[in-house]
Amino acid sequence: MPKSNSFQPGKHFLQIPGPTNVPDRVLRAMDYPTIDHRGPEFAEIAKRVLDKIKLIFKTSEPVIIYPGSGTGAWEAAIVNTLNEGDKVLMFETGEFSTKWWDIAEKLKLKSDFVKGDWRTGADPEIVEKKLKEDTNKEIKAVFVVHNETSTGVASRIGEIRKAIDNANHPALFMVDTISSLASIDYKHEEWKVDVTVGGSQKGLLLPPGLSFNAISSKALEAYKNSKLPKSYWDWKPMLDNNKNGFFPYTPATNLFYGLDEAINMLLEEGLENVFARHKRHAEATRLAVKAWGLEILCKNPEEYSNSLTAVMMPDGHDADALRKVILDNYNMSLGMGLNKVKGKVFRIGHLGDFNDLMLSGTLAGVEMGLAKAGVPFKKGGILAALDYLSK
Ligand SMILES: *Cc1c(COP(=O)(O)O)cnc(C)c1O
């Protein structure tokens, strides 16, 4: 039997929910000499990219691009807008929201962290109730992870915006879109989000290494009164330099070439078509899972993620053992269960540069893996998906 560390022919299937498959066009675009990031050629590229990226966030307001992982952009959202001791409202939707909360704790915010079951999203009704109860307007910000990558649950950001408005509350609205941006429809400006956090390595078709803060004018006002210590993540030097296409420190030059091309690809396909494609692939995946007789971790169909599907294992069967069988035999990586759901779920990523046949191959790998690993299931998941895709 082949080992995971030995040679395997053909293309590896990287079906974790990020990093995702980087398209050849993006790889080719990055395969270009690294140039002077303080010279005129780079300034032209940076200005173009800083402008175009706004279309992806659906905003006309500035977007800051950091050389850094999404975790850094989480921290940036906090240190640029808030103060020590500020009250904030956060939701435990899964591992990623818990990690953002952990940063808030370390930065000495006072968080009301609403416990969750890792199967549902942030509840707009709770947002409205908590904000209405806060008559002294002490809550300074509401934090939500749009697509909780650990569970495959998408919170309803538009409805949460309405809940904040219904409560007539001035709290800032902070949203993590790292695994939803360019996969699931997202409207920074229309939903009056104050800081949107993004990352390069999920739906944005790039390798890891860039992260984003899309900011509102209200967030810029909050910046003026925010005294949390900040240096690397400080918005002001970024915004000042960005005006001329420059950065306060070395940007990730080659990732900018890639981002330029990735945005071109998304716009060529059309953002709304990109969202429809993700929705279709997610639906086909869910049909397969149901036909296998397995359960989807996400409880509410209205919160199903279009980026990934987390599948629960039958009792007594270990998801990581299944993932190993699939990696060793079919050269495919699936996402592991994180933290509270470790070993209990595996995650199928269906986001980014992806098409019908890639999805068919992915589902075939899962179905063969279930059989090979001796997991009880009903055959026919692939057929259910193919029927749907060929309708
Ligand atoms: C991947 C991910 C992160 C973490 O991003 P890093 O680049 O690993 O720091 C945060 N939030 C969500 C929703 C994610 O999917």
Side-chain angles (χ1 to χ4, degrees):
M1 198 174 83
K3 296 253 166 44
S4 56
N5 60 357
S6 68
F7 176 77
Q8 297 206 46
K11 272 217 174 192
H12 175 66
F13 270 62
L14 181 66
Q15 296 318 132
I16 59 175
T20 62
N21 298 289
V22 179
D24 291 347
R25 263 177 71 176
V26 170
L27 290 173
R28 297 292 90 82
M30 292 191 304
D31 181 8
Y32 183 79
T34 302
I35 56 174
D36 174 9
H37 61 284
R38 302 202 193 278
E41 191 185 354
F42 183 76
E44 203 177 296
I45 296 168
K47 276 195 275 189
R48 178 168 74 235
V49 172
L50 284 163
D51 207 33
K52 280 199 301 194
I53 189 72
K54 294 178 183 176
L55 298 170
I56 306 300
F57 285 90
K58 295 195 177 172
T59 183
S60 57
E61 295 164 329
V63 178
I64 283 175
I65 307 180
Y66 293 110
S69 85
T71 302
W74 269 341
E75 181 167 337
I78 294 173
V79 297
N80 282 288
T81 55
L82 296 168
N83 285 293
E84 190 176 321
D86 276 354
K87 276 196 185 168
V88 296
L89 180 59
M90 305 182 99
F91 290 84
E92 185 201 9
T93 49
E95 174 72 356
F96 289 98
S97 63
T98 303
K99 285 186 149 175
W100 206 2
W101 167 73
D102 193 45
I103 294 175
E105 289 290 295
K106 285 178 182 149
L107 294 170
K108 302 201 173 86
L109 303 183
K110 284 209 191 80
S111 53
D112 177 0
F113 191 45
V114 179
K115 292 284 161 208
D117 61 359
W118 287 47
R119 301 191 69 178
T120 47
D123 185 345
E125 280 179 27
I126 296 180
V127 173
E128 189 166 332
K129 183 169 168 285
K130 294 254 180 197
L131 293 182
K132 277 185 172 160
E133 282 167 6
D134 180 38
T135 46
N136 292 336
K137 315 286 184 210
E138 284 174 5
I139 296 173
K140 297 296 175 216
V142 177
F143 288 73
V144 179
V145 173
H146 182 200
N147 185 70
E148 181 47 84
T149 322
S150 60
T151 61
V153 176
S155 285
R156 291 157 286 162
I157 301 302
E159 288 179 41
I160 294 171
R161 173 73 256 171
K162 278 195 201 117
I164 299 172
D165 289 347
N166 289 345
N168 200 12
H169 197 289
L172 294 167
F173 192 19
M174 320 289 233
V175 181
D176 169 345
T177 62
I178 295 177
S179 64
S180 54
L181 194 70
S183 304
I184 304 173
D185 196 9
Y186 183 78
K187 302 163 178 171
H188 172 89
E189 199 157 314
E190 187 179 319
W191 291 338
K192 293 179 281 171
V193 177
D194 294 297
V195 187
T196 298
V197 173
S200 56
Q201 75 270 32
K202 315 259 166 109
L204 217 46
L205 312 174
L206 292 164
L210 294 179
S211 59
F212 307 86
N213 272 181
I215 58 192
S216 71
S217 44
K218 187 168 150 189
L220 280 174
E221 276 305 307
Y223 172 89
K224 292 182 193 156
N225 302 315
S226 150
K227 291 178 190 65
L228 279 173
K230 47 191 152 292
S231 169
Y232 185 83
W233 306 114
D234 195 337
W235 284 347
K236 189 156 190 310
M238 271 289 199
L239 291 170
D240 289 347
N241 278 274
N242 281 179
K243 281 188 192 117
N244 304 313
F246 297 118
F247 287 76
Y249 38 74
T250 316
T253 317
N254 289 53
L255 283 170
F256 267 77
Y257 309 153
L259 180 57
D260 199 9
E261 186 68 358
I263 299 171
N264 288 346
M265 290 176 69
L266 291 166
L267 298 180
E268 278 171 39
E269 183 176 357
L271 267 187
E272 304 313 310
N273 296 329
V274 171
F275 302 142
R277 168 167 58 82
H278 281 79
K279 189 169 177 212
R280 190 164 159 273
H281 288 154
E283 184 58 28
T285 303
R286 292 189 288 261
L287 287 170
V289 174
K290 286 171 191 162
W292 288 327
L294 299 177
E295 198 179 338
I296 292 168
L297 183 62
C298 178
K299 267 189 194 160
N300 307 332
E302 57 184 347
E303 293 180 327
Y304 279 152
S305 165
N306 290 337
S307 303
L308 75 137
T309 303
V311 184
M312 294 169 77
M313 293 295 284
D315 278 345
H317 292 270
D318 179 23
D320 292 337
L322 170 69
R323 290 191 316 108
K324 184 176 180 344
V325 166
I326 292 173
L327 179 61
D328 288 349
N329 289 278
Y330 308 116
N331 196 12
M332 175 163 75
S333 297
L334 295 171
M336 67 190 299
L338 299 169
N339 202 325
K340 286 190 184 173
V341 291
K342 181 166 170 49
K344 297 190 180 122
V345 306
F346 63 91
R347 295 172 297 149
I348 304 171
H350 33 71
L351 74 165
D353 186 43
F354 204 52
N355 64 26
D356 287 11
L357 293 189
M358 292 164 88
L359 177 64
S360 306
T362 299
L363 296 175
V366 176
E367 188 158 329
M368 289 191 287
L370 288 167
K372 206 166 188 85
V375 177
F377 77 104
K378 294 199 249 22
K379 283 192 193 287
I382 308 167
L383 279 180
L386 297 186
D387 277 349
Y388 175 78
L389 292 174
S390 55
K391 236 191 256 161

